[in-house]
Amino acid sequence: MIRACLWVMRACLWVMRACLWVMLALALWSCDEMNHQPRYDSAEASTLFADGKSLQAPPDGTVARDAAALDAALTRRPPMTAALLARGRDRFQIYCVPCHDASGYGRGTVPARGFPQPPSFHSDRLRGAPSHYVVDVITNGYGVMFSYADRVAPADRWAIASYIRALQLSQNADAAELSSEDLAALDATGTGIATDAEVAR
């Protein structure tokens, strides 16, 4: 009698385990729906919206969560520091050098392959332009240059504008404004500034 009861109990446990495994298998099979869920590919037609497009523009008046901070960063010019110039140089080499070249004359590799040559940063017009003009061009584009607003953060736009100012100064500096120590340092590196008399020779 006891043996029969034990056998029945073992049989019940086996059936319960089998049922549990079946339920788990069904649950896992139903989770596979996540791999096959209905979705739209980019720019695919859709019957969900009245205009038949799957990609919808944001509703009028939509504002990005960080829009206020980005706008504030665009209107607030950071103080000139060595760290700002270093950051500007880094960003300039990434985003600007292909077209504007490392010195800012507009002779980069992109215009060398047939793209329109950008203006030189050393022209009188751009030397006289305010720094926020450079920030505005990076933000909105100019001519054939497209906007870099989605690539360059507002603070980095100011850093690039500051570095362009340093480039302009480096190419248009008056030797008379340099101290004797700076002139001696330039001569020691072999990059001394030639005087007008030396150029005339």
Side-chain angles (χ1 to χ4, degrees), residues 3-188:
R3 285 184 183 176
C5 288
L6 287 174
W7 185 87
V8 170
M9 288 175 61
R10 285 181 186 157
C12 288
L13 283 174
W14 184 88
V15 170
M16 288 173 62
R17 285 181 186 162
C19 290
L20 182 62
W21 281 110
V22 170
M23 290 171 62
L24 285 173
L26 289 173
L28 288 174
W29 178 80
S30 64
C31 289
D32 192 47
E33 281 299 308
M34 293 181 70
N35 292 328
H36 305 289
Q37 58 187 312
R39 63 172 179 77
Y40 291 106
D41 289 325
S42 180
E44 184 180 356
S46 166
T47 57
L48 184 62
F49 300 103
D51 61 2
K53 299 175 183 175
S54 58
L55 293 178
Q56 296 292 303
D60 292 337
T62 300
V63 178
R65 232 183 301 187
D66 55 353
L70 293 176
D71 289 343
L74 278 177
T75 56
R76 191 180 327 119
R77 180 179 179 166
M80 181 68 76
T81 62
L84 183 73
L85 286 177
R87 178 69 176 178
R89 180 182 183 194
D90 179 65
R91 301 292 96 181
F92 183 87
Q93 289 175 341
I94 292 170
Y95 296 108
C96 310
V97 165
C99 292
H100 292 278
D101 79 63
S103 299
Y105 285 98
R107 300 189 204 113
T109 56
V110 173
R113 287 167 171 76
F115 199 77
Q117 182 173 342
S120 170
F121 291 132
H122 308 292
S123 66
D124 291 337
R125 179 179 74 85
L126 290 181
R127 276 204 307 270
S131 294
H132 67 76
Y133 172 78
V134 176
V135 172
D136 183 68
V137 169
I138 296 170
T139 302
N140 300 306
Y142 181 83
V144 295
M145 174 181 161
F146 54 83
S147 167
Y148 278 80
D150 61 339
R151 296 167 177 82
V152 182
D156 287 341
R157 295 174 216 170
W158 282 111
I160 290 172
S162 300
Y163 180 70
I164 288 172
R165 286 289 179 237
L167 271 182
Q168 291 170 330
L169 181 62
S170 74
Q171 301 297 304
N172 301 285
D174 186 355
E177 295 178 3
L178 296 175
S179 66
S180 56
E181 293 84 13
D182 289 336
L183 286 171
L186 285 173
D187 288 336

